Amino acid sequence: MSLEKNSKLYFYFFFIFYLIAGLWIYQDFGVGIEEHFQRKNGFYWLNYIFSFSDFENFKLLINTKYQEILSSNPDLPDSVFFNFYGVVFDLPLAFIETFFEIKSSKVYFELRHLINFLIFFVSSIFFYKILQNRYFDQKFALIGLAFFIFTPRIFGDSFHNNKDILFLSLLTIAIYYLFKLIDKFNYSNLFLFCLFGAFATSTRIMGIYLPILLISFYFLEYLSSKKNLKSFLSDSFKVVFLFIIFLYLHYPYMWNLNILEFKNWFESFFYYMDLRILFNGDYYNIKYLPRSYLPTWIFISTPIYVLILFIFGFFILIRRFFLRTLRIKNNLSLTNDFWSSKSEMKDLFILISFFSFFCYAIFLNVAMLSGWRHFYFLHVFIIYIFIFALKYFYLNFRNKISMKKIIYINLIVIISLVYELYKYHPYQSLYFNNLINEKYVKKFQVDSPSLSRSDALRFVAQDSQSKKIYIANTSWTPLHNGKDMLIEEDKKKFVFVGQEVELAEYIYTNNIYKSDEKFNKRYK
């Protein structure tokens, strides 16, 4: 049978293979630096919600676990202060942990990794459907799916990053239903778009752009007479109303919303810690990073093949938008508009989404930390535009390059990425491409998620013959809660002495410091 006829078979084989691989390796990852706070956040709000119920025994279990978190991790941020963090992941996981009376820290953090992977797995199906919806072509959708999943940093974070990859996943699902809404405005598509759009927004406030941009597109349709005023107002009202209802129902931060002080409601989201991070050999306050920060991180940690085609596709889309804008005169029409079809409308949505957030990060001094993980959601747009460019090449050069050759070329690149995943495992989230060499990598923060803590402690537990192991920490990232991925017997061996290195049998560092080593030798 031809590749054309086997597309569905390849699709099912791919997803089965990916699911089995994820279930096989999800226990291999260390605990991320923010996972303890997220767990605490889940129990704080679970405790709050059940305080209004009569389930006394269950309430006691919840409160006991919450108090244990407070006592074992007293330095975690205050959930009341950081109440703008959503609970769509943390609260259900806290409920599951309590309901099944999970006591092992290793088990409940591995459970978080498993659920995070499964959510991303589901979102990858929706990304495949997005590409299929746009191109009606399973082959290009399958290629895009492979790069969506196997881009190393995204693959690694999809197991342990319960915020940024969760937002990426929910945003992907919301965009799929937004595309369906563009195709056909009905209550089913409207309901699902608003639901997942609200979930995405409570996870990262940037998700609020979804209904805003959609309504902006409706307004452009009204200006071009594709919508009448009644239809525009009706559709826009339904989107806003349902979106706000869903957001209010599950987002605790909304419960304290004062309509009279609505503009102040967004202030909390611009909070940033007073930290300095290593970037390109120098230390910067995270609020005053060079404008090159985000572009540099994307360029050095995204596969080069993806970058080249993405850049090409981006400029093709910009050119098309520019030319269509020039053709618009006094009255808009079907052939004299920002888009000539629903497919072009979707392309423009993706282009504006990427361009807006990219410029926002560069020009407005957005505080960023840990590489570009806060903007990992751009991955959705990058791979979409990458596939747009690939399809463009095929359509314009099909006389010189066949579909078979395109498939084989991409298959070679995908296999090389899978090899990178194997080589880096379980540190795929520390991947750099070949644009920089190993020596230059040292100019950037590498172990930003602090995954190495768990492996380091596991190694020390096996290496030392002592019943009590005294270990110091010269990194600013906390070391003591890295032990939560260890078995109970090994956890009990450790005595953490902070930076009192003279008391230590072992000294841990992942080379992430608060100050520049060139001027401050405190970690020497």
Side-chain angles (χ1 to χ4, degrees), residues 141-247:
L142 198 55
I143 292 170
L145 171 67
F147 284 99
F148 181 77
I149 291 171
F150 293 141
T151 297
R153 283 187 173 251
I154 302 301
F155 181 89
D157 273 53
S158 69
F159 291 91
H160 60 81
N161 188 332
N162 307 144
K163 283 202 300 190
D164 306 296
I165 297 298
L166 179 66
F167 177 59
L168 184 157
S169 301
L170 294 171
L171 179 68
T172 302
I173 300 172
I175 289 174
Y176 169 75
Y177 286 112
L178 184 145
F179 278 14
K180 296 291 285 184
L181 208 53
I182 289 174
D183 292 333
K184 184 178 181 180
F185 191 98
N186 60 34
Y187 283 105
S188 174
N189 293 331
L190 174 66
F191 181 92
L192 291 167
F193 164 69
C194 291
L195 177 65
F196 285 101
F199 284 161
T201 303
S202 68
T203 305
R204 286 280 188 210
I205 192 59
M206 289 177 283
I208 203 169
Y209 96 96
L210 287 165
I212 294 173
L213 190 54
L214 177 62
I215 291 170
S216 300
F217 275 44
Y218 285 162
F219 181 67
L220 291 176
E221 286 191 311
Y222 161 68
L223 291 179
S224 63
S225 302
K226 294 174 185 175
K227 272 184 182 290
N228 57 43
L229 180 60
K230 182 179 178 182
S231 177
F232 162 65
L233 293 176
S234 174
D235 292 352
S236 300
F237 174 78
K238 290 172 185 175
V239 169
V240 172
F241 177 77
L242 205 54
F243 178 83
I244 291 176
I245 290 296
F246 282 134
L247 194 61

Side-chain angles (χ1 to χ4, degrees), residues 435-451:
L435 289 177
I436 61 173
N437 57 36
E438 190 173 334
K439 183 178 180 181
Y440 198 70
V441 166
K442 294 180 180 179
K443 296 189 175 198
F444 297 86
Q445 280 194 358
V446 178
D447 185 28
S448 298
S450 296
L451 298 179

Side-chain angles (χ1 to χ4, degrees), residues 3-4 7-8 11 127-145 387 390-391 394-395 398 403 406-407:
L3 288 171
E4 296 273 349
S7 293
K8 275 194 175 180
F11 167 77
F127 185 74
Y128 174 85
K129 290 161 73 74
I130 286 173
L131 295 181
Q132 201 175 27
N133 172 279
R134 167 61 178 87
Y135 298 107
F136 303 101
D137 190 317
Q138 286 188 323
K139 296 181 292 299
F140 284 98
L142 198 55
I143 292 170
L145 171 67
I387 291 297
L390 195 64
K391 184 73 180 261
Y394 172 67
L395 292 177
R398 66 175 73 186
M403 190 66 223
I406 287 180
I407 290 174

Side-chain angles (χ1 to χ4, degrees), residues 16 91 121 126 133 137 143 172 234 237 251 257 286 293 309 348 427 431 440 458 494:
I16 291 171
L91 192 147
F121 172 81
F126 279 91
N133 172 279
D137 190 317
I143 292 170
T172 302
S234 174
F237 174 78
Y251 191 20
L257 175 62
I286 62 172
Y293 184 84
L309 282 176
L348 185 59
Y427 293 99
Y431 163 86
Y440 198 70
R458 192 178 292 111
F494 287 99

Side-chain angles (χ1 to χ4, degrees), residues 56-74:
E56 298 302 327
N57 290 335
F58 200 66
K59 285 162 62 176
L60 180 61
L61 286 173
I62 296 169
N63 189 58
T64 300
K65 277 187 169 288
Y66 181 62
Q67 294 303 322
E68 286 174 357
I69 294 171
L70 293 179
S71 62
S72 60
N73 294 276

Side-chain angles (χ1 to χ4, degrees), residues 363-517:
F363 296 113
L364 295 183
N365 284 331
V366 178
M368 283 181 274
L369 187 65
S370 305
W372 62 294
R373 69 173 179 83
H374 293 128
F375 285 83
Y376 273 170
F377 66 93
L378 296 180
H379 181 66
V380 181
F381 313 129
I382 290 172
I383 301 300
Y384 181 101
I385 296 173
F386 159 77
I387 291 297
F388 170 84
L390 195 64
K391 184 73 180 261
Y392 181 91
F393 268 116
Y394 172 67
L395 292 177
N396 287 275
F397 301 100
R398 66 175 73 186
N399 294 330
K400 297 181 179 180
I401 183 167
S402 66
M403 190 66 223
K404 266 191 177 182
K405 286 184 179 178
I406 287 180
I407 290 174
Y408 290 145
I409 291 169
N410 283 277
L411 189 59
I412 291 170
V413 179
I414 290 165
I415 290 172
S416 71
L417 285 181
V418 173
Y419 172 71
E420 293 291 318
L421 298 181
Y422 170 78
K423 184 175 71 173
Y424 275 86
H425 186 74
Y427 293 99
Q428 293 91 345
S429 55
L430 313 184
Y431 163 86
F432 289 89
N433 61 31
N434 292 327
L435 289 177
I436 61 173
N437 57 36
E438 190 173 334
K439 183 178 180 181
Y440 198 70
V441 166
K442 294 180 180 179
K443 296 189 175 198
F444 297 86
Q445 280 194 358
V446 178
D447 185 28
S448 298
S450 296
L451 298 179
S452 65
R453 296 174 300 163
S454 298
D455 272 350
L457 294 175
R458 192 178 292 111
F459 166 79
V460 168
Q462 295 170 356
D463 182 66
S464 176
Q465 302 300 316
S466 306
K467 291 184 178 179
K468 289 290 182 182
I469 304 171
Y470 292 82
I471 185 166
N473 177 24
T474 62
S475 168
W476 75 266
T477 55
L479 176 62
H480 68 279
N481 54 23
K483 72 181 185 298
D484 286 336
M485 293 302 285
L486 277 59
I487 60 175
E488 294 300 318
E489 181 183 348
D490 286 344
K491 285 167 62 175
K492 295 175 183 177
K493 295 179 181 179
F494 287 99
V495 177
F496 297 93
V497 297
Q499 293 183 0
E500 297 182 59
V501 294
E502 66 278 0
L503 302 177
E505 181 184 356
Y506 294 86
I507 302 172
Y508 165 83
T509 184
N510 59 354
N511 299 315
I512 296 181
Y513 308 125
K514 286 184 177 179
S515 53
D516 192 334
E517 280 293 276

